[in-house]
Amino acid sequence: MTSPELSKARLDLRPPAGVNPEIPSWAKNDYVLNKWIQEERPRRRRYLKDQQLEAWEPLPRSQFEKPIFEAFNKPFRKLFAPLNARFSNKPLHYFLVTRRVVSRVFVPMWIVHYFVKYHIAAKGNITVSKPLVYPGGK
C-alpha cells in the first residue's frame, strides 16, 4: 500500500463519515482506515453527547474557589438549586455574573464618584455653575 499524499492525510481534508461514506481511492485497500471511516460519524456523535452534563452530574469546580468564597456562595447555591435543576444552571450563572459586574464595575464607579463629588469638588478644585437665585423664588 502506498502512503497518501500529505494534503490527503490532513485532518481537515478527511473524507466525510457516515453509514456508507465514499472511501477515497488511496484508502480502499486499507482495512483499518476503511473501518475507521465507517465508524467516524457515530464516534463523533457519541463524543458530543458525552460532553453534555446531565442534571445529576457535578459541575467542574472553579480553579479560584477558596473556602471563604465557598462560604459566601453556598447560601446562593442552595437558593438557586431548584431553578438550576430546571434551567441548566443558568439562573445561578446569571446571578454570579451580575454580582461580579456590580462588585467590579458599579461599586468602584460609585466610590470614585463619591470621592470626586465630596472630597475634590468640595475643596473648590472643580467649579460647578449653580442656578441663579431670584428674590421671592424658592
Side-chain angles (χ1 to χ4, degrees), residues 10-43:
R10 289 184 44 194
L11 295 177
D12 56 342
L13 296 177
R14 288 186 297 193
V19 179
N20 293 318
E22 180 184 334
I23 299 173
S25 60
W26 52 268
K28 290 210 187 273
N29 296 332
D30 188 346
Y31 172 77
V32 174
L33 188 57
N34 189 357
K35 198 79 164 158
W36 180 83
I37 291 172
Q38 290 176 356
E39 295 173 354
E40 180 64 15
R41 180 168 285 168
R43 183 183 302 121

Side-chain angles (χ1 to χ4, degrees), residues 39-128:
E39 295 173 354
E40 180 64 15
R41 180 168 285 168
R43 183 183 302 121
R44 287 183 184 179
R45 285 188 178 163
R46 278 193 311 272
Y47 174 78
L48 291 175
K49 190 171 185 216
D50 287 343
Q51 302 308 307
Q52 298 173 353
L53 289 178
E54 297 292 335
W56 52 267
E57 289 183 296
L59 290 173
R61 307 300 277 178
S62 170
Q63 63 182 5
F64 297 111
E65 266 186 27
K66 304 257 189 296
I68 187 80
F69 297 125
E70 188 61 33
F72 283 115
N73 287 339
K74 193 177 239 182
F76 296 110
R77 291 187 192 278
K78 284 184 181 177
L79 178 71
F80 284 103
L83 289 172
N84 286 335
R86 178 162 177 145
F87 296 111
S88 306
N89 290 309
K90 292 297 180 198
L92 179 64
H93 170 74
Y94 290 137
F95 171 76
L96 294 177
V97 167
T98 304
R99 191 174 72 176
R100 194 174 301 132
V101 168
V102 167
S103 66
R104 294 181 183 171
V105 176
F106 291 117
V107 171
M109 282 174 50
W110 179 81
I111 291 172
V112 169
H113 165 76
Y114 177 85
F115 186 77
V116 168
K117 183 174 182 179
Y118 293 107
H119 295 279
I120 296 177
K123 293 182 179 175
N125 298 337
I126 298 176
T127 57
V128 178

